[in-house]
Amino acid sequence: MNPTIANEKKHVVWLDCVRLVAMFTVVCCHATDPFNFYTGSDQSMVAEIKNWGAIYGSLLRPCVPLFVMITGALLLPIRETSSVFYKKRISRVFWPFLIWSVIYALFPWFMGVIGFGPQTILDFFPYSGEEVMKQSFEVSLTYITQIPLNFSTVAVHMWYVYLLIGLYLYLPVFSAWVEKASVKEKRFFLLLWGVTLFVPYLRTFVNPYIWGACSWNEFHMLFYFAGFNGYLLLGHYLRHHVTWSTSKSVLLGILFFAAGFIVTYLGFREITTRASFTPEELELFFYYCSPNVALMTIAVFMLLKRVRIKNATVCKLLANLTKCGFGVYMVHYFLTGPMVLLTRALHIPICIQIPIAATLAFAISWLFVAGVYRLIGQKARILLG
């Protein structure tokens, strides 16, 4: 066993930087929704807005994989019993997730009660469907009762929490193997996982059924190596077993990121120029577990691994984001839509509306969460994680 892994308990500042980038880019990513779902009468304006939504949406794909890699880099291998780990990790995210899911579900109904029309719901949540536009308490109640099954269209960002809880349930099992596996065995796992990243494209462009999958079996040959568990191991592996020089990190980072971005952007634009497409086709090149997104994610992670920060104030802010990060994730989706509207009202150039809207949403969310912690201390964990 690597003694570095066993003994390293101190705060890791560069991983805080990864978290900052992941958190900000996920807010940016949600700020692209009003662009990619924009409808207007001026077709030239529609084309420009959707093009910038595609550009930023493609650039920002590493956001979620970075979160998962941070989890793997920090927690693998686990040094606690499963029961202790589950109690500490799952309880911290479950209650804020439940509380905010209910708040988001009730929001359309509440806005109707105080006099705001259905268009307001679209301004806040571009994914909203016709049922939400009714702003009825019955619809909100339906979404609440469905929380054990899935997220609602007014809280689409909650999909990640279902994934996170699943990863937490899986981690103690996976950790037992990681602790005993050699570096060569970890590389073999990552190699097979890398092959599975091509599965979405193979299913779409070659054959919907591959490697034993069929109408009665979705678990193909490499199914057990597929998914976000690969990002868990990748975060652990790149942190503890891979060291690149600054020049190598920059050179490979640029090559990896550029290659991943080009495939992601061109693929997404090709799909969106079609006369019609399914939701699955729309997300095909944005798929997080794909080779193009994995390349971009590795590039960002390894570049940030070279970051060295000694300024005490900056380190303190980064540590505070670690504390407030989950709360920021819960809150920010209320703000991305309105902040995009604000940038449009201020006639800010379209090409920079997304980062400016995201910066405002991110800053306000962070200030709100930090303020709640300052007011009520650790009691805020039940609400904000």
Side-chain angles (χ1 to χ4, degrees):
M1 181 176 63
N2 189 335
T4 303
I5 300 175
N7 298 326
E8 197 165 10
K9 298 293 184 180
K10 64 181 180 179
H11 204 63
V12 185
V13 176
W14 71 266
L15 280 173
D16 284 346
C17 293
V18 179
R19 182 178 288 103
L20 172 63
V21 171
M23 192 69 253
F24 180 69
T25 53
V26 83
V27 177
C28 281
C29 191
H30 290 142
T32 67
D33 291 346
F35 283 68
N36 291 324
F37 288 87
Y38 181 79
T39 56
S41 56
D42 187 337
Q43 290 304 307
S44 63
M45 183 68 71
V46 171
E48 183 179 5
I49 287 175
K50 289 195 172 184
N51 186 50
W52 281 109
I55 290 173
Y56 279 106
S58 301
L59 284 171
L60 300 166
R61 298 327 287 170
C63 58
V64 170
L66 284 174
F67 276 125
V68 180
M69 288 179 70
I70 292 168
T71 300
L74 286 173
L75 299 183
L76 285 174
I78 294 170
R79 298 302 170 197
E80 305 161 315
T81 64
S82 297
S83 58
V84 171
F85 177 81
Y86 290 153
K87 182 177 180 180
K88 181 167 68 173
R89 296 289 170 178
I90 295 180
S91 63
R92 183 178 179 185
V93 301
F94 176 77
W95 293 112
F97 156 72
L98 181 61
I99 291 169
W100 284 96
S101 293
V102 171
I103 292 173
Y104 278 100
L106 291 173
F107 182 76
W109 164 74
F110 176 75
M111 293 297 284
V113 169
I114 62 176
F116 288 90
Q119 180 58 42
T120 305
I121 309 304
L122 281 179
D123 292 339
F124 275 84
F125 312 120
Y127 282 104
S128 299
E130 293 183 3
E131 285 296 307
V132 176
M133 305 294 285
K134 295 177 182 178
Q135 296 181 280
S136 71
F137 182 74
E138 289 75 13
V139 171
S140 293
L141 186 61
T142 298
Y143 283 133
I144 292 171
T145 60
Q146 290 178 349
I147 290 173
L149 298 177
N150 216 337
F151 57 89
S152 69
T153 57
V154 293
V156 293
H157 64 305
M158 292 298 183
W159 78 270
Y160 177 72
V161 185
Y162 291 90
L163 165 69
L164 182 61
I165 292 174
L167 290 176
Y168 282 161
L169 289 170
Y170 174 73
L171 263 168
V173 179
F174 194 42
S175 176
W177 175 81
V178 171
E179 188 169 10
K180 294 181 178 180
S182 66
V183 175
K184 184 177 180 180
E185 289 169 331
K186 294 172 185 177
R187 281 200 298 264
F188 179 68
F189 186 103
L190 289 172
L191 174 64
L192 293 179
W193 174 71
V195 174
T196 71
L197 297 177
F198 291 88
V199 167
Y201 300 131
L202 292 174
R203 283 178 168 173
T204 302
F205 300 116
V206 180
N207 193 317
Y209 296 131
I210 58 171
W211 302 330
C214 55
S215 60
W216 63 86
N217 174 47
E218 61 183 291
F219 306 105
H220 57 79
M221 179 177 64
L222 295 182
F223 179 88
Y224 308 101
F225 294 91
F228 283 93
N229 60 344
Y231 281 118
L232 284 175
L233 183 62
L234 186 62
H236 162 85
Y237 182 83
L238 293 181
R239 178 188 177 188
H240 296 292
H241 303 305
V242 177
T243 301
W244 289 352
S245 65
T246 300
S247 58
K248 185 176 182 180
S249 297
V250 172
L251 177 60
L252 291 181
I254 291 173
L255 291 175
F256 284 7
F257 195 92
F261 170 75
I262 290 170
V263 172
T264 305
Y265 172 72
L266 293 180
F268 182 76
R269 288 299 289 162
E270 194 281 326
I271 295 294
T272 54
T273 54
R274 296 178 181 179
S276 62
F277 46 81
T278 65
E280 290 76 18
E281 290 172 335
L282 178 66
E283 297 292 339
L284 178 63
F285 288 91
F286 273 12
Y287 203 66
Y288 292 116
C289 293
S290 63
N292 41 300
V293 174
L295 280 176
M296 297 169 70
T297 306
I298 291 170
V300 175
F301 190 88
M302 293 305 290
L303 282 168
L304 292 173
K305 190 178 178 182
R306 304 301 304 172
V307 171
R308 299 293 181 267
I309 297 176
K310 296 182 179 179
N311 184 283
T313 301
V314 175
C315 290
K316 186 177 180 179
L317 283 172
L318 290 171
N320 181 259
L321 180 60
T322 299
K323 176 182 178 180
C324 297
F326 192 74
V328 171
Y329 190 82
M330 292 291 98
V331 171
H332 82 277
Y333 200 60
F334 271 123
L335 297 167
T336 50
M339 292 303 104
V340 169
L341 288 181
L342 178 61
T343 61
R344 290 175 181 168
L346 295 175
H347 302 292
I348 291 172
I350 294 174
C351 61
I352 57 173
Q353 285 181 3
I354 288 173
I356 290 178
T359 299
L360 292 171
F362 179 70
I364 294 170
S365 300
W366 192 354
L367 288 171
F368 170 79
V369 174
V372 172
Y373 266 106
R374 183 176 290 272
L375 283 173
I376 63 177
Q378 291 305 306
K379 294 178 181 178
R381 290 173 70 92
I382 191 70
L383 178 65
L384 299 168

